[in-house]
Amino acid sequence: MTDKTEQIRIVLAKLGLDGHDRGIKVVARMLRDAGMEVIYLGLRQTTDSIVAAVEQEDADVVGLSMHNAGHLTLAPAMVEALRQGDIDVPLIVGGIVPDADVEALEQAGVAAILGPGASAEEVVATVRSVVSEA
Amino acid sequence: MTSVRNLPVDALVELALTDDRRAVGRLLTLVERNGPEATECAMMLHAHGTGSHVIGITGAPGAGKSTLVGEMVQQMVDGGSHPAVLAVDPSSPLTGGAILGDRVRMAGVTEAFIRSVATRGHAGGLALAIPGAVRVFDAVGYNPVVIETVGVGQVEVDVTAAADTTVVVVTPGMGDAVQANKAGLLEVADIFVVNKADRPGASDARRDLELMLDLSHMTGQEDASYRPPILMTNSLEGEGHSAVIDAIETHRRHLVDTGQLAKRRRRRIEFEIESRLSTVFEQRMIELKTDQRWVDIVDTTTAGTIAPPAASQQVANLLLH
Amino acid sequence: MSDANDDPQQRWQAAYDASKLRDVPFETMSGVPVDAVYGDGPYPGEYPFTRGIHASMYRSRLWTMRMFAGFGTAEDTNGRFKELLGAGGTGLSTAFDMPTLMGRDSDSPWSLGEVGRAGVAIDTLSDMEDLFADIDLAGVSTSMTINGPAATALAMYLSVAEKNGVARSQLGGTIQNDILKEYQAQKEYIYPPRPSMRIVTDMVRFTTAEMPRWNPVSISGYHIREAGATAAEELAFTLANGFAYVEAALAAGEDVDTFGKRLSFFFNSHSDFFEEIGKFRAARRIWARWMKERYGATDERAMLCRFHTQTAGVSLTAQQPEINIARVAIQALAGALGGTQSLHTDSYDEALALPSDKAARIALRTQQIVAHETGVVNVADPLGGAPFIEWMTDEMERQAEDVFAKLDDMGNGSILEGVYAGIENGYFVGEIADSAYRFEREVNAGRRIIVGVNGFTDGDDGEANLLRIDQATEDYQRKRLDTVKRERNQVAVDESLASLTAAATDTNTNLMPPIIEAVRTYATLEEVAMAMEQVFGTYVEKAIV
């Protein structure tokens, strides 16, 4: 009965108005095919709706996809919302994040950043390592 | 950092009973894993039952169940209820992973507790996990508790059927009603919903259901005083949902008035005990198959020394001890 | 004359001779003269227009080199517009920021971090006045890339013109206003599909009656492709959306030969060279046939699939960004060989950020090279008649017709209803997501090589100089909005919004006049959107990956 107990549950969402959902949908399938349970929230989420989902779904990790150059504002806001909610769950940001912004995001508390062109192996390995380190 | 995720079950239960959503979420995970913590949780929470009404909603994939549930749950919230939803979706048989998207379809419902559950391949697990999760919600005081499943597998049907009120959703034009009949959903339905009723064929679907109900009444149902209503809804336009909520309430009162509610709950407990037993036996069977005694029994049966019925009896004795 | 009409070649020759040609030598670099067209008919400019919409194609006029601009505040973009006009441009193309595209004001909590980032921020008529300050709107053609709040943007634009003494009937330009592809791909919708289609139809009726030089819808496959569709899916979904707009306008009693002439298209040009060219050729043929045979158009100009092309943003890589210049060149060449009417070439740094000035200039230079150095403009449809390109054109058409048949079936004989059904049941998003995932898996498995990403990865020496929009823009824009709100006549705003809400409840009332009234009181974009949302509701995509 222990074979399924380590199954990773990840919440995937688009925060704010950004409607580019090609990447997040591809990633959802990659993670499903890697055996994870993906709780897909879709477009136009708020930090509150994501926090609520993480609590109710007891997710192991949150993944945000960002394509509108809003990551320097929105990702720290998400980290802060999780902190305020007393939720100790790591945040991964994927999408269009220039190298120059990686350090700022890491300092803001983002656990990992997946830039453009990350392969399926990188995506899956990053989620696994972030969860196991949490 | 404080995290509920590492707390022991008793501390989680204590927190959960104050409606701490993180703790409730964590208990649901433990229950779903069916490990020793799940047992512990059931032992601690069983006495805390508040008598929540359990509603099962099932139907073919694409019937619009989630949207319907989302709309209904929002109306329940607006009406002052404190509902919880268990949205069950299939895991991929190949990888064990799943994409659980019901929250998207229930977007905008912020007050209810929504939990997405993957079937995780093993049917027995679901048959235990669902009653376990309902027990958590019931103890914390969520009422009603809505279980939404795809009505395809037998376990999904059983789980949904174990509700106090079972709603079967069909759509027009795809022979849904006939399929529902084949899947055994007709017998368990307390309420029928023809969703997407603006589509062509809605009245045909209704007529099919009426006919099948007439037939089943002739062959004699257990409760002749109740005939399942057939309601028409349109999830996209948000039409007909209050009627479904009203019908659920009418059915609940009928259950209370006729004493059926107690019977159903007894049956649900029975179902859970049976599920637990079969899980226990399945597990022991798996262990036994790695045992030399199993090999010996199979060998002696193959050699013709004993007959299969006798061999089975020997195995049964081993399983029981 | 009857002889000329019977013989296709003579008919083509007559049309060619009647065309005004550019004053350049039509010969190769080495001085070899070339004909205007080769091969058999149907010739360019002749139904079904597979080979091009004009007899002389680029010999008369090169495609319009339309580059998208918009960033920061309205004043910032106004400055760039004036530079473009000063350099001899006649077309302005406006990109709006994400809050504007979603009908949100800069002070909405939803707008946090997005104001002025991906385009210009427009909250009220005051911003639109600044955006086009000191520009003669009678003398330019303006393209506005906006969909959900398109009616409000158009209302603001014509109000600015009228304040400056330019009549709405004089205004020329295009507004994207293709709401159907929003539900399928770009996801910038506000209301559910049916009320959104009512707004589009109201705009078609309004512009047909009052703005004869305005293109009310640019039917766009670009975003469908970017979201992951195949070339054939892009073609099929886009044209199906076109059919849906036609059916909606016909149902509203409009004349197909009148509004048909004002419809235009917008396609993606990706890297698979021949597939793209086949797609463009098939688009013209299918559109012409359907407009004539199914929708009864009799005026050939109402059968023309005129289109703008943009190179594939999704094909650009963050790795070794400079090599994107080569990709863009190949895609631009496909657009030219496909017979596009206008072209935007992407900047090589767009996988990372908004284009920098230098990158945008290189992109423009790339299409100028195609136009002026390669010689492909001397001959109309130079690949036409080649067995492979003709086969590819047929294949694209075949795949598209399969999709139309499916939609026709889903809609019980109506493509419009089929498109609604496909949106509701997740058909479009499902097909697109499947294609995107298949492509991704092929790349991951190494069956498909993307240079710099999963092959030939040496030599990535970091990032180009990226354009950044600083936070000050957001703060400034919020203060501006605050000032406008304080200074306007609130009673007039409230009254106009109430009238708009009332108009929204009555499907027989055209929404354009009350929207124009509202924007003139300096009601904000979001206030106008909300006035209609009260009646129309909002849309949430229910289909999951």
Side-chain angles (χ1 to χ4, degrees):
Chain A
M1 297 297 279
T2 52
D3 56 332
K4 303 283 177 186
T5 56
E6 298 308 317
Q7 194 149 26
I8 291 174
R9 285 170 68 86
I10 180 167
V11 163
L12 285 187
K14 294 286 294 186
L15 175 57
L17 295 175
D18 173 18
H20 295 90
D21 60 358
R22 173 182 179 149
I24 193 173
K25 287 185 170 183
V26 166
V27 166
R29 291 181 181 205
M30 282 177 183
L31 298 178
R32 175 199 61 194
D33 291 350
M36 299 184 199
E37 287 178 6
V38 178
I39 297 117
Y40 182 77
L41 304 188
L43 298 171
R44 317 265 138 75
Q45 298 300 306
T46 62
T47 51
D48 285 352
S49 67
I50 294 169
V51 164
V54 174
E55 288 181 343
Q56 294 170 23
E57 302 289 354
D58 190 34
D60 301 299
V61 53
V62 181
L64 292 185
S65 154
M66 303 191 152
H67 287 80
N68 260 20
H71 51 269
L72 287 178
T73 313
L74 295 175
M78 189 69 244
V79 172
E80 185 52 30
L82 289 168
R83 209 169 269 158
Q84 291 282 326
D86 206 4
I87 299 171
D88 185 14
V89 164
L91 171 67
I92 300 176
V93 171
I96 299 186
V97 179
D99 288 348
D101 293 346
V102 167
E103 199 183 327
L105 290 183
E106 284 174 349
Q107 281 186 352
V110 176
I113 292 120
L114 287 162
S119 69
E121 291 74 28
E122 280 171 74
V123 171
V124 171
T126 302
V127 173
R128 288 209 174 113
S129 83
V130 159
V131 169
S132 68
E133 283 162 20
Chain B
M1 248 195 256
T2 56
S3 170
V4 299
R5 306 193 92 216
N6 302 319
L7 292 178
V9 176
D10 53 349
L12 280 173
V13 165
E14 199 178 315
L15 263 181
L17 291 174
T18 67
D19 198 10
D20 180 308
R21 294 196 164 202
R22 295 168 308 162
V24 176
R26 188 65 190 163
L27 282 178
L28 293 171
T29 302
L30 298 177
V31 163
E32 215 180 330
R33 286 183 185 170
N34 283 341
E37 289 101 336
T39 310
E40 203 181 332
C41 181
M43 302 288 279
M44 292 181 76
L45 285 179
H46 191 64
H48 287 278
T50 60
S52 303
H53 193 67
V54 179
I55 304 165
I57 300 195
T58 191
K65 296 179 295 298
S66 311
T67 308
L68 180 71
V69 168
E71 299 272 354
M72 280 171 35
V73 165
Q74 185 58 50
Q75 286 195 22
M76 290 169 181
V77 169
D78 294 345
S81 299
H82 191 44
V85 178
L86 282 170
V88 184
D89 276 315
S91 300
S92 157
L94 292 175
T95 67
I99 294 176
L100 308 169
D102 286 300
R103 299 190 82 91
V104 175
R105 301 195 188 96
M106 297 178 200
V109 184
T110 51
E111 303 300 318
F113 195 115
I114 301 169
R115 176 64 171 227
S116 313
V117 181
T119 53
R120 298 199 174 176
H122 50 143
L126 197 66
L128 286 186
I130 297 298
V134 169
R135 180 171 291 113
V136 173
F137 283 134
D138 181 35
V140 177
Y142 285 94
N143 186 17
V145 178
V146 180
I147 308 164
E148 185 218 320
T149 62
V150 176
V152 280
Q154 190 55 46
V155 175
E156 282 89 333
V157 173
D158 288 349
V159 160
T160 319
D164 296 326
T165 300
T166 301
V167 182
V168 170
V169 185
V170 300
T171 50
M174 284 148 65
D176 262 17
V178 179
Q179 288 304 323
N181 192 13
K182 281 189 191 158
L185 289 175
L186 217 61
E187 288 82 9
V188 302
D190 300 306
I191 295 165
F192 287 102
V193 171
V194 179
N195 199 17
K196 306 182 183 178
D198 56 323
R199 294 221 183 139
S203 50
D204 294 348
R206 185 193 188 112
R207 193 201 55 218
D208 289 352
L209 288 172
E210 295 282 7
L211 276 172
M212 288 185 226
L213 282 177
D214 289 346
L215 285 172
S216 69
H217 261 243
M218 278 190 284
T219 55
Q221 277 206 326
E222 64 171 304
D223 183 2
S225 66
Y226 182 86
R227 181 179 168 105
I230 301 168
L231 304 166
M232 313 294 269
T233 58
N234 182 351
S235 279
L236 286 170
E237 306 296 330
E239 284 163 11
H241 302 131
S242 351
V244 181
I245 294 176
D246 291 347
I248 291 170
E249 177 56 20
T250 304
H251 181 249
R252 191 191 65 81
R253 258 181 285 129
H254 169 81
L255 290 177
V256 173
D257 293 347
T258 57
Q260 295 265 340
L261 189 63
K263 267 194 204 166
R264 288 205 177 201
R265 292 189 171 176
R266 188 174 193 284
R267 196 192 298 158
R268 192 151 78 221
I269 292 292
E270 213 172 7
F271 177 64
E272 186 179 345
I273 295 171
E274 279 174 28
S275 299
R276 284 187 179 280
L277 276 174
S278 48
T279 309
V280 167
F281 280 118
E282 275 168 28
Q283 191 57 32
R284 288 200 187 160
M285 191 69 196
I286 290 166
E287 287 160 12
L288 183 64
K289 280 183 169 178
T290 62
D291 195 304
Q292 188 55 42
R293 287 174 295 175
W294 167 260
V295 178
D296 293 345
I297 291 171
V298 175
D299 285 347
T300 46
T301 315
T302 312
T305 315
I306 59 169
S312 306
Q313 188 54 51
Q314 288 186 17
V315 173
N317 289 340
L318 287 173
L319 288 177
L320 285 167
H321 295 108
Chain C
M1 282 309 284
S2 66
D3 283 350
N5 278 335
D6 289 343
D7 178 48
Q9 187 161 12
Q10 284 183 33
R11 209 161 50 217
W12 170 82
Q13 190 68 48
Y16 177 80
D17 291 344
S19 308
K20 190 172 180 292
L21 303 182
R22 286 185 296 126
D23 187 18
V24 290
F26 298 115
E27 58 185 35
T28 69
M29 189 178 276
S30 319
V32 180
V34 294
D35 288 346
V37 70
Y38 290 85
D40 299 328
Y43 290 98
E46 190 176 20
Y47 180 87
F49 309 102
T50 315
R51 303 196 65 188
I53 62 168
H54 300 299
S56 54
M57 282 309 289
Y58 302 132
R59 284 195 173 197
S60 290
R61 203 168 151 262
L62 294 174
W63 59 84
T64 305
M65 302 187 189
R66 199 186 277 282
M67 304 295 283
F68 207 37
F71 63 96
T73 64
E75 288 105 317
D76 297 335
T77 304
N78 179 257
R80 198 171 261 197
F81 280 171
K82 285 179 182 161
E83 277 172 34
L84 284 168
L85 294 174
T90 54
L92 301 177
S93 186
T94 319
F96 297 96
D97 71 358
M98 183 55 74
T100 305
L101 294 173
M102 290 297 295
R104 298 284 178 178
D105 290 340
S106 298
D107 60 359
S108 158
W110 281 101
S111 304
L112 190 70
E114 306 261 22
V115 177
R117 277 198 196 275
V120 61
I122 300 291
D123 294 316
T124 67
L125 180 58
S126 175
D127 296 319
M128 199 67 102
E129 288 165 357
D130 287 353
L131 182 62
F132 294 104
D134 307 317
I135 293 172
D136 175 18
L137 296 184
V140 296
S141 140
T142 302
S143 159
M144 287 191 278
T145 303
I146 190 163
N147 298 278
T152 313
L154 181 63
M156 286 181 179
Y157 184 75
L158 72 84
S159 299
V160 170
E162 292 187 342
K163 279 194 160 191
N164 295 332
V166 176
R168 57 181 74 162
S169 59
Q170 288 175 267
L171 296 174
T174 303
I175 191 155
Q176 193 166 79
N177 198 26
D178 172 13
I179 200 67
L180 292 173
K181 62 96 172 54
E182 297 299 334
Y183 303 101
Q184 299 159 344
Q186 188 168 238
K187 316 291 168 77
E188 289 163 11
Y189 37 68
I190 303 173
Y191 319 111
R194 285 168 200 267
S196 292
M197 274 299 273
R198 174 194 164 189
I199 299 175
V200 174
T201 309
D202 282 355
M203 290 174 72
V204 170
R205 303 181 79 175
F206 177 84
T207 54
T208 303
E210 306 201 26
M211 302 176 75
R213 297 180 56 218
W214 196 268
N215 298 317
V217 191
S218 167
I219 307 151
S220 306
Y222 185 80
H223 320 82
I224 293 171
R225 190 64 176 284
E226 291 285 297
T230 63
E233 284 164 350
E234 177 198 355
L235 175 69
F237 296 171
T238 309
L239 295 185
N241 291 344
F243 303 148
Y245 294 121
V246 170
E247 290 181 12
L250 286 174
E254 296 292 307
D255 171 40
V256 68
D257 282 325
T258 310
F259 73 78
K261 279 181 256 183
R262 306 253 45 111
L263 298 176
S264 64
F265 292 83
F266 172 22
F267 290 111
N268 197 304
S269 190
H270 216 298
S271 297
D272 192 314
F273 198 62
F274 294 105
E275 185 174 59
E276 293 305 295
I277 298 167
K279 176 188 78 184
F280 297 131
R281 299 175 90 248
R284 278 190 296 270
R285 184 154 82 203
I286 296 168
W287 185 252
R289 276 199 188 138
W290 277 65
M291 286 299 275
K292 183 177 183 174
E293 291 171 15
R294 176 138 170 171
Y295 300 117
T298 53
D299 185 335
E300 286 207 333
R301 285 174 301 161
M303 304 173 201
L304 297 182
C305 176
R306 297 174 291 136
F307 62 88
H308 172 66
T309 301
Q310 181 172 338
T311 58
V314 75
S315 74
L316 304 179
T317 59
Q319 296 84 349
Q320 304 186 49
E322 295 85 354
I323 66 175
N324 290 324
I325 297 171
R327 292 192 175 97
V328 169
I330 292 162
Q331 295 165 4
L333 186 60
L337 291 171
T340 191
Q341 275 59 63
S342 67
L343 180 63
H344 169 107
T345 31
D346 287 330
S347 301
Y348 68 83
D349 53 0
E350 279 181 55
L352 298 161
L354 285 174
S356 63
D357 280 346
K358 182 178 178 187
R361 191 175 63 245
I362 292 174
L364 178 60
R365 294 288 176 263
T366 304
Q367 55 172 307
Q368 286 164 338
I369 290 170
V370 175
H372 298 285
E373 297 187 20
T374 64
V376 298
V377 297
N378 289 340
V379 181
D381 190 35
L383 299 180
F388 180 39
I389 213 70
E390 294 299 340
W391 177 86
M392 186 59 90
T393 306
D394 293 346
E395 173 64 14
M396 289 288 116
E397 182 178 27
R398 188 191 62 74
Q399 290 192 31
E401 291 287 349
D402 284 351
V403 172
F404 303 148
K406 191 173 289 173
L407 291 171
D408 212 22
D409 190 46
M410 282 203 267
N412 292 306
S414 154
I415 297 285
L416 174 59
E417 288 300 323
V419 168
Y420 283 143
I423 290 168
E424 285 164 11
N425 67 24
Y427 166 71
F428 295 108
V429 292
E431 295 290 306
I432 292 170
D434 285 349
S435 298
Y437 191 48
R438 189 176 58 237
F439 183 85
E440 214 57 48
R441 280 201 314 208
E442 286 169 7
V443 172
N444 265 299
R447 285 199 301 277
R448 191 178 282 285
I449 296 296
I450 307 293
V451 175
V453 174
N454 65 344
F456 317 104
T457 52
D458 289 351
D460 196 1
D461 54 5
E463 287 170 9
N465 246 338
L466 302 178
L467 178 73
R468 293 190 171 268
I469 307 293
D470 66 55
Q471 187 60 31
T473 302
E474 191 156 325
D475 302 337
Y476 173 85
Q477 186 63 21
R478 286 192 180 155
K479 282 203 194 85
R480 237 186 93 74
L481 174 57
D482 197 43
T483 308
V484 173
K485 278 185 180 170
R486 262 188 285 112
E487 289 174 357
R488 67 187 185 178
N489 178 345
Q490 191 59 42
V491 175
V493 171
D494 294 343
E495 282 174 5
S496 72
L497 291 173
S499 309
L500 176 55
T501 302
T505 59
D506 174 14
T507 49
N508 294 317
T509 304
N510 193 307
L511 288 165
M512 277 308 292
I515 293 173
I516 294 169
E517 283 312 307
V519 302
R520 282 186 174 154
T521 66
Y522 292 87
T524 69
L525 187 85
E526 181 165 337
E527 288 166 343
V528 170
M530 293 304 133
M532 290 186 280
E533 192 185 294
Q534 286 176 38
V535 179
F536 296 154
T538 53
Y539 180 78
V540 176
E541 179 180 305
K542 298 292 169 87
I544 318 304
V545 289

